[in-house]
Structure formats: C-alpha cells, structure tokens
Amino acid sequence: MASFLRSFGFNFILVVLILAIAGTSNALGYTHPIFRPGPWRLAHATFYGDESASETMGGACGYGNLFSNGYGTDTAALSSTLFNNGYACGTCYQIKCYNSPHCYKYVPFTTVTATNLCPPNWSQDSNNGGWCNPPRAHFDMSKPAFMKIAAWKAGIVPVLFRRVPCIKPGGIRFAFQGNGYWLLVYVMNVAGGGDIASMWVKGTRTGWISMSHNWGASYQAFATLGGQALSFKIQSYSTKETIIAYNVAPANWNVGLTYKSNVNFH
C-alpha cells in the first residue's frame, strides 16, 4: 500500500509539473502559431514598369530599394481592397494565370510580396482601365513577375491567388527615421503572415511605449529615446502572435540605419 501511495504521489507531482511547464511555455510565447495558406480566389493582374523593375522601387509600403532590402522583383502593388490601409504590406501571395490564352501553361504559379498600393482611378470604368477601383481585387505586378505567368502583351489577365506564408531568411529588420523626439520605424523582412498589427518600443530607461501606425509598414513613437538601447514588441496582424526583439539597436543608434533582430514569425 505504501509503495502504491508513493507511486501515485510521484505520478501526480509529475503531471502537475508537466502542466505547469506547458502553461509557462504558453505564457512566455514558446508556442508559435504558424500561418497557413488561404483559399484560392479570383482576381485580375496587370504590370507596371519595365523589365528592370526600377519603377517598383520605394512604393507605399516604404521598403525603399527592394533589391538591397531583399524583396527583389517578385513584388506587386495591391488594389485598395487588398491593401487594407497598409496593413497588407509584406503579405505574400501565390498567383497563377487563369483561363486566358496568354497564360504560360507550364507555370503553376509565381509568388510575390505586397510592396505598394495600386490606387483607384475613378476617371476610368472599373472594367476598362480602372482595374484597381474598389471593390476589385487586383494585382499590379512588376513586369518581371508578370512575365513569369503570362505574355506581357496581354496587358491584363484573370488570375487565381491565395495568401501564403512568407519565407524570409533571418530576423525582422527595423529601418530608423525621425529625430530626437520622434522615432519612425519601417519594419521589413517579416516572415509568416508578413504583416504587422501593432508594435511597441522599449528603451533601457522606459517601459513599453505603444507605437502608432503611420502608413504602409511604418510605425512611430513620439518619445525621447536617444542614448538608450531599443527593444521592440511586434504583433502579427494575421495570427495575433506577439514576439519580442530584445536590444535590436544599441544605445548609440541613429536614424538612417537599419538594425537586424534574431526573431521572426512562422
């Protein structure tokens, strides 16, 4: 009987410890939601610029030079219906040409990242030139990306698209702008859902300061943060997962520089 009680007691304590560890892991964010591909939907696609994709540089998301910042030519501008006031910046899509004689039949799809806004053109009919007018779902792709799925002479083709996880090497990057009283941060190289819902900054002499969404992929804080190492807390728009990038920028950080973290979404 004593042996049974000792065995029962040991097993009970073991179960309690396992549950406690599991709860602590969840509380500390050790379980990572994984962004999954979405359903296929119908849209249309056009292209802008030429084969060099030079006209895609910059853009409404604020990624600047898409080559040096890791986005390359596989990018697209989204109609405002998809752009979601900039919260769709950084999201990734598989796009395949659909039901057009101009489709390349041997190409199942191509993958692009949202880096720009295709604004409405109210002077044109939505079915004749105003391709990005609401409520249309539309992709204005870089010409190199468009040419992967269809002949460029088509101009516009129907497509099927779906959200997919963004595969990005390394951690999230933070490009700093602003001044001593205003920090503006462009968030780049975001994996998983690719998008950001909320963001906070913490200096070595402050608590967590909520940052407001400026536009595109940029967030701002009106605070005096000079001379402090900076950490960032980021929440995914799609999965609601929150991760913390500690000590991303050293105490002697400066505007005009980009700082790399060692964390990312999945």
Side-chain angles (χ1 to χ4, degrees), residues 41-44 78-84 118-122 124-127 130-139 161:
R41 298 164 55 192
L42 184 64
H44 285 80
L78 307 185
S79 62
S80 56
T81 298
L82 297 175
F83 193 67
N84 191 23
C118 181
N121 182 358
W122 298 114
Q124 303 268 350
D125 184 89
S126 295
N127 295 310
W131 309 123
C132 291
N133 294 349
R136 293 181 65 102
H138 190 89
F139 294 86
F161 75 96

Side-chain angles (χ1 to χ4, degrees), residues 35-45 78-84 88 91-99 108-110 134-139 149 157-164 238:
F35 182 79
R36 305 292 184 184
W40 289 100
R41 298 164 55 192
L42 184 64
H44 285 80
L78 307 185
S79 62
S80 56
T81 298
L82 297 175
F83 193 67
N84 191 23
T91 52
C92 298
Y93 302 84
Q94 286 179 345
I95 301 178
K96 55 183 176 182
C97 188
Y98 174 71
N99 200 27
F109 58 81
T110 193
R136 293 181 65 102
H138 190 89
F139 294 86
I149 60 171
V157 293
V159 296
L160 292 173
F161 75 96
R162 66 173 179 172
R163 283 276 306 277
V164 293
S238 295

Side-chain angles (χ1 to χ4, degrees), residues 20-244:
I21 292 171
T24 303
S25 297
N26 287 335
L28 294 177
Y30 293 152
T31 56
H32 299 287
I34 298 176
F35 182 79
R36 305 292 184 184
W40 289 100
R41 298 164 55 192
L42 184 64
H44 285 80
T46 50
F47 66 88
Y48 68 114
D50 57 21
E51 285 87 344
S52 72
S54 59
E55 291 186 33
T56 66
M57 297 298 110
C61 290
Y63 294 137
N65 188 314
L66 299 180
F67 295 135
S68 61
N69 286 323
Y71 294 96
T73 61
D74 291 326
T75 63
L78 307 185
S79 62
S80 56
T81 298
L82 297 175
F83 193 67
N84 191 23
N85 292 320
Y87 287 105
C89 284
T91 52
C92 298
Y93 302 84
Q94 286 179 345
I95 301 178
K96 55 183 176 182
C97 188
Y98 174 71
N99 200 27
S100 168
H102 302 288
C103 296
Y104 291 146
K105 306 298 184 185
Y106 55 86
V107 180
F109 58 81
T110 193
T111 304
V112 298
T113 303
T115 59
N116 205 352
L117 167 67
C118 181
N121 182 358
W122 298 114
S123 66
Q124 303 268 350
D125 184 89
S126 295
N127 295 310
N128 187 22
W131 309 123
C132 291
N133 294 349
R136 293 181 65 102
H138 190 89
F139 294 86
D140 200 18
M141 305 170 70
S142 73
K143 191 173 183 180
F146 185 91
M147 291 172 63
K148 289 183 178 181
I149 60 171
W152 69 267
K153 291 184 178 180
I156 181 170
V157 293
V159 296
L160 292 173
F161 75 96
R162 66 173 179 172
R163 283 276 306 277
V164 293
C166 297
I167 309 301
K168 303 293 182 184
I172 296 173
R173 297 197 295 267
F174 305 84
F176 286 15
Q177 296 294 334
N179 53 47
Y181 307 96
W182 170 58
L183 178 64
L184 180 66
V185 180
Y186 290 90
V187 188
M188 300 182 289
N189 200 56
V190 181
D195 46 12
I196 302 296
S198 302
M199 190 164 151
W200 299 259
V201 61
K202 182 182 184 302
T204 49
R205 298 191 299 272
T206 75
W208 286 107
I209 300 169
S210 178
M211 304 181 75
S212 60
H213 183 222
N214 181 285
W215 180 248
S218 65
Y219 286 78
Q220 62 190 359
F222 294 91
T224 304
L225 295 167
Q228 304 178 62
L230 301 183
S231 301
F232 293 96
K233 182 162 59 174
I234 314 105
Q235 183 183 54
S236 166
Y237 193 95
S238 295
T239 67
K240 308 306 179 187
E241 178 187 6
T242 299
I243 58 177
I244 298 177

Side-chain angles (χ1 to χ4, degrees), residues 175-178 183 249-259:
F176 286 15
Q177 296 294 334
L183 178 64
N252 63 343
W253 62 266
N254 210 336
V255 298
L257 298 178
T258 299
Y259 298 92

